[in-house]
Amino acid sequence: MISSLGIIGGGVMGEALLARLLAQGQVDAAAVIVSEPFAARREFLSDRYGVKCVAENAEAAQADWLLLAIKPQVFDAAVEGLANLRRDRLILSILAGVPLARLEAAFPGEAVIRAMPNTPATVGAGVTAIAAGQQVTAAQLSQAQEFFAAVGRVVTVPESQLDAVTGLSGSGPGYVALIIEALSDGGVAAGLPRTIATELAIQTVRGTAELLQETGWHPGELKDRVCSPGGTTIAGVATLEQHGLRSALIEAVKAASLRSQQLG
């Protein structure tokens, strides 16, 4: 169990982790301090989760575990003066594009882990990739894996791969939402009511993902199983290939990965 947890940034992802950690009993509400600049947000988090919320970062930064859940653009201002508060914390950062070298320079000599969760973490269905800094022990890495498992699956990767993770799973929910919207639009164009079309699109994406996960099939194998000779699916797949869906998604992941590098 986490003895004390400080969270700098009470936004969507910070709240998602907080909610799941509390629900799973990994931390007690009395042991959590959230630093959040907006008064209305502080009041909301305090009322809903029973945690202490403050406007300044210093108090939260004195916890045994410190989660950085702010926008990367405000990193320097947010962590100014926090390094001298203590030296034995485990620091977890979910800031896109901010490398371990920069994090470790801000917290010299401390154990720092960089992580990239994605939006489905808010419903416990996310995936988080983590990379450990130079001072992180095997025990601390295991603890961090358990921490992020509160919001879904966890994979450990070299830091050099985290920008690619950001482009794929970090930004991927946006691509999938766009695909679902387009499938729904297609259903409407073919004559379905909007509510039915959207429900069918969502469940089709969910069910396909679950099928691939359960069977271990390569996505291409599932596609081949669905495409009967001269059938409806192969006609649709041929149209998708004609309009470049596959290459568009590849380029989207590459563009988002590049933007992650630029943010760093």
Side-chain angles (χ1 to χ4, degrees), residues 38-50:
F38 296 104
R41 187 67 177 164
R42 291 197 301 271
E43 183 177 357
F44 168 80
L45 293 171
S46 180
D47 290 345
R48 181 159 188 173
Y49 300 106

Side-chain angles (χ1 to χ4, degrees), residues 183-247:
L183 287 171
S184 177
D185 286 346
V188 172
L192 291 172
R194 171 64 69 183
T195 54
I196 297 297
T198 300
E199 182 179 358
L200 289 171
I202 291 172
Q203 186 55 41
T204 297
V205 171
R206 177 189 289 131
T208 302
E210 290 180 358
L211 179 59
L212 287 170
Q213 192 169 69
E214 289 296 321
T215 61
W217 292 340
H218 187 281
E221 180 181 355
L222 176 55
K223 181 262 295 176
D224 289 348
R225 286 173 178 263
V226 179
C227 289
S228 56
T232 61
T233 307
I234 191 61
V237 167
T239 301
L240 292 174
E241 294 287 6
Q242 179 183 355
H243 290 276
L245 175 67
R246 189 193 303 261
S247 61

Side-chain angles (χ1 to χ4, degrees), residues 92-142:
L92 308 170
S93 168
I94 59 172
L95 280 64
V98 178
L100 283 169
R102 191 170 163 198
L103 291 162
E104 290 176 328
F107 298 95
E110 298 196 65
V112 178
I113 289 177
R114 183 180 166 196
M116 176 46 61
N118 63 0
T119 307
T122 58
V123 293
V127 61
T128 302
I130 63 175
Q134 297 181 19
Q135 304 299 322
V136 175
T137 66
Q140 288 172 324
L141 180 60
S142 178

